[in-house]
Amino acid sequence: MGRTPWRILTLAAAVLALTAAAVVAVAQRSDDSRGASGPAASGPGRATAGPSPSPSLSPEPADLPDGPSGEPATVPAVRSFEAAEGPGWAPGGSARVVADGDGPLDDEADRLAEELDAGRADEGARAGDVELVLDEDADTGREGYRLHVEDHRVTITGSAEAGVFYGTRTVTQAVNARGGLPEGTVNDRPDRPQRGLLLDIARKPFPASWIEDRLREMAGLRLNQLQLHLSDDQGFRVESESHPEVVSEDHLTKEEVRRIVELAESLHITVIPEFDSPGHLGAVLEAHPELRLRRADGGVAEGAIDIGDPAAGELIDELLREYDDLFPSRYWHLGGDEYVAALSRDPEGTYPELAEAARERYGEGATVRDLATAWLNDRAETVREMDRVPQVWNDGMHAGGEVRPDRERQVTYWTGREIGAREPVEYLEGGWQVLNLNSEYLYYVLGEPNEFTYPTGERIYEEWTPDVLRGSRAVPEEFRGADHIPGGRLAVWCDLADAQTTEQVAEGIRLPLAALAQKLWDPGRPRLSWAEFTELTGEVSRR
């Protein structure tokens, strides 16, 4: 009995010590929790690395917002969605994007966290979070992804970074349009590997900032190529150190191009340069009049270079090689279209010096078109030496003759209007892959000259597929699909440059570009009506 007060005091001290330890632990956990959704020692928005949080620290389900019902709201629409019973997911105040901060998905995770105004964590995904997972063994394809929503948590898995990135586009669009994602699983991948926009900046200069805005718009639509038409009769629009004399006053500096390319790469978009020849070279020939092509009557063939003069090929090859490091694209477009000598009704009579050069090099039966074919073969070899895949316009591919187009190239098909133009199936039968730039649906020509009309997104959405290469009829069944037709592009040509402002161009191509994106991602009949698609296109981009 005499020792009882001491025991009481000892017990009281122990209780006080345990209470103090608990207070410290709670405070420490509170600091860690704040670090997961706010500033931390490792950087803005980044949680400190450490053990996964215990379940007791996860948000309670009652505190988390539920997602919507129905299919995810995206443009283009997801290919497959399997709905499940559950609350779905919406970004709440405790939402984080989880991916290894030192891993390949760090940039994708940072971007998504900024877009959702969410925190960032390197590990320990919990309810309310979006987790990004790179699994090389996942059966998604390079640009595909699996998005799984279960009990207020999203997991995006892809075998490559591009696929995971497109999964994050699904998240942001679904949040913009409907506030979140429904419970269930998305399996999504594109039908065609090449999906893009062609922009003619030679006839009409566009500011670098405008081009960057289009890249961001394209990324949301899962488009992955921007072809820049950099030179034409009206201008040569990129800085040159090897031939500064050919550069127009209003042009992109190399530093601006580097920023454009860097942004594009971060959005999984390839910038494809196009340096068109042997036609459309008026700006270059202003500085090199000695290389202009002349007719038998002494007149100048506008925009055409003298392909019989070896100095002409040397000049173009020097320019191509200069931009090797500036444009790391796998593809290079070499033009080849609308060379007036090859399209003339009497090429040999109108251009006798070219005819003589053709016979000297390729035999008595050779023609001007053989010389033009050889020119493009030589330029293709130049870019292949730079480890690039050449692309050329279909009307630069001349039939028959002594010289044949080389096999290692892709054909961009735009027209059946030109003299000697051939049906798309002829190129497909020849073994070339053909990209779709069907001028009936995909040509946005400023000022609408030469019977062109501005394409409507509705016609693309309702009538066109990637297999409709010319007119409105698809190629035969045996030539359909990505193996033969790997994709397509909407083309903005600035023939009458002042017909629209850059702002009008941006608005004018908005819906056609969205419709193109839908049909290249999934060429089947869309589930939404055109009116519903138009409304959704505005919602997903918060327009």
Side-chain angles (χ1 to χ4, degrees):
M1 293 291 294
R3 292 193 295 271
T4 299
W6 173 250
R7 289 174 178 170
I8 292 172
L9 290 173
T10 301
L11 181 60
V15 169
L16 287 171
L18 288 171
T19 301
V23 170
V24 170
V26 169
Q28 192 169 16
R29 287 173 182 163
S30 178
D31 287 342
D32 289 344
S33 177
R34 284 193 297 271
S37 59
S42 58
R46 176 64 52 80
T48 55
S52 300
S54 69
S56 63
L57 293 179
S58 297
E60 293 295 328
D63 298 330
L64 294 171
D66 292 346
S69 59
E71 292 191 356
T74 65
V75 175
V78 300
R79 302 287 297 275
S80 168
F81 174 63
E82 184 178 345
E85 291 293 329
W89 172 89
S94 61
R96 304 176 306 167
V97 179
V98 181
D100 182 359
D102 296 322
L105 298 178
D106 185 43
D107 289 343
E108 279 74 16
D110 285 349
R111 178 180 290 106
L112 181 60
E114 181 177 354
E115 292 167 339
L116 298 177
D117 194 22
R120 267 287 278 120
D122 292 342
E123 58 183 10
R126 64 194 189 192
D129 291 346
V130 179
E131 184 176 19
L132 310 186
V133 178
L134 193 63
D135 179 0
E136 294 180 356
D137 296 325
D139 184 22
T140 60
R142 193 184 71 82
E143 293 187 298
Y145 64 94
R146 178 177 180 268
L147 187 152
H148 183 67
V149 182
E150 184 175 8
D151 294 335
H152 297 109
R153 177 172 163 181
V154 181
T155 304
I156 302 171
T157 303
S159 64
E161 295 170 48
V164 176
F165 173 71
Y166 292 139
T168 68
R169 299 309 85 198
T170 292
V171 172
T172 56
Q173 286 193 343
V175 169
N176 288 346
R178 301 289 186 270
L181 288 158
E183 192 94 353
T185 302
V186 169
N187 284 291
D188 204 16
R189 68 175 69 193
D191 185 72
R192 307 293 162 123
Q194 296 192 49
R195 310 176 304 280
L197 171 68
L198 180 156
L199 181 64
D200 170 13
I201 69 171
R203 295 181 178 95
K204 182 181 183 70
F206 288 81
S209 59
W210 190 95
I211 297 172
E212 290 167 355
D213 286 343
R214 300 290 75 70
L215 287 170
R216 296 183 184 97
E217 180 181 356
M218 290 168 63
L221 296 171
R222 287 74 156 171
L223 298 171
N224 64 1
Q225 292 181 339
L226 173 64
Q227 179 179 335
L228 290 179
H229 183 76
L230 293 163
S231 62
D232 211 302
D233 296 343
Q234 293 80 3
F236 190 98
R237 302 294 181 184
V238 61
E239 177 185 355
S240 172
E241 292 159 1
S242 67
H243 288 282
E245 74 280 1
V246 307
V247 179
S248 301
E249 181 178 354
D250 197 342
H251 65 272
L252 295 175
T253 68
K254 286 189 173 181
E255 184 55 37
E256 286 176 318
V257 172
R258 289 188 187 98
R259 289 199 299 269
I260 288 169
V261 170
E262 182 179 1
L263 174 62
E265 289 181 337
S266 75
L267 299 171
H268 300 276
I269 296 171
T270 297
V271 178
I272 301 173
E274 181 190 350
F275 294 96
D276 203 348
S277 76
H280 295 283
L281 282 171
V284 170
L285 295 172
E286 281 292 321
H288 291 273
E290 74 280 4
L291 296 178
R292 286 174 169 156
L293 177 65
R294 296 186 178 275
R295 297 185 296 270
D297 63 8
V300 172
E302 293 299 328
I305 202 166
D306 182 356
I307 59 177
D309 188 337
E314 292 170 6
L315 171 63
I316 300 304
D317 285 348
E318 285 169 4
L319 286 166
L320 292 173
R321 293 188 181 104
E322 177 181 354
Y323 301 114
D324 186 9
D325 293 334
L326 192 62
F327 295 99
S329 168
R330 178 188 175 195
Y331 302 102
W332 275 53
H333 206 293
L334 299 171
D337 62 311
E338 298 182 318
Y339 186 55
V340 293
L343 299 179
S344 170
R345 295 189 182 278
D346 180 15
E348 287 67 44
T350 307
Y351 302 97
E353 292 184 1
L354 290 187
E356 182 180 354
R359 290 190 294 269
E360 286 177 357
R361 297 178 194 179
Y362 306 112
E364 281 301 313
T367 67
V368 170
R369 287 176 183 151
D370 287 306
L371 201 63
T373 297
W375 167 277
L376 212 52
N377 284 352
D378 289 344
R379 307 293 78 77
E381 181 59 27
T382 297
V383 298
R384 277 196 295 270
E385 290 171 357
M386 295 155 50
D387 200 26
R388 305 303 206 281
V389 176
Q391 294 182 340
V392 303
W393 294 111
N394 64 284
D395 52 325
M397 299 273 287
H398 305 293
E402 302 297 321
V403 182
R404 302 299 175 91
D406 53 46
R407 307 281 304 189
E408 299 175 35
R409 64 174 67 177
Q410 294 180 338
V411 180
T412 50
Y413 194 96
W414 72 279
T415 185
R417 299 181 177 206
E418 300 295 339
I419 295 173
R422 295 181 283 156
E423 291 288 340
V425 72
E426 292 190 38
Y427 304 98
L428 295 165
E429 287 175 338
W432 287 286
Q433 288 188 320
V434 178
L435 288 161
N436 195 325
L437 285 93
N438 184 337
S439 61
E440 173 76 14
Y441 293 95
L442 305 179
Y443 259 40
Y444 191 97
V445 185
L446 266 60
E448 301 183 305
N450 303 319
E451 300 182 355
F452 284 110
T453 58
Y454 293 128
T456 68
E458 185 173 8
R459 284 196 71 206
I460 297 170
Y461 191 77
E462 297 285 355
E463 302 174 14
W464 180 84
T465 77
D467 298 317
V468 178
L469 285 166
R470 178 173 175 175
S472 57
R473 183 175 298 178
V475 297
E477 188 74 36
E478 62 188 294
F479 295 119
R480 298 178 190 178
D483 289 342
H484 300 286
I485 305 170
R489 298 175 196 137
L490 181 74
V492 177
W493 293 108
C494 302
D495 291 40
L496 300 177
D498 295 331
Q500 289 191 339
T501 65
T502 57
E503 292 79 10
Q504 289 172 322
V505 173
E507 181 58 30
I509 66 174
R510 184 175 66 87
L511 289 175
L513 201 58
L516 174 85
Q518 172 63 48
K519 301 302 281 289
L520 288 171
W521 194 266
D522 183 354
R525 185 73 183 171
R527 296 188 289 274
L528 299 180
S529 69
W530 172 246
E532 292 169 332
F533 181 82
T534 299
E535 182 179 3
L536 181 59
T537 298
E539 291 173 351
V540 298
S541 58
R542 289 182 174 172
R543 291 183 66 89

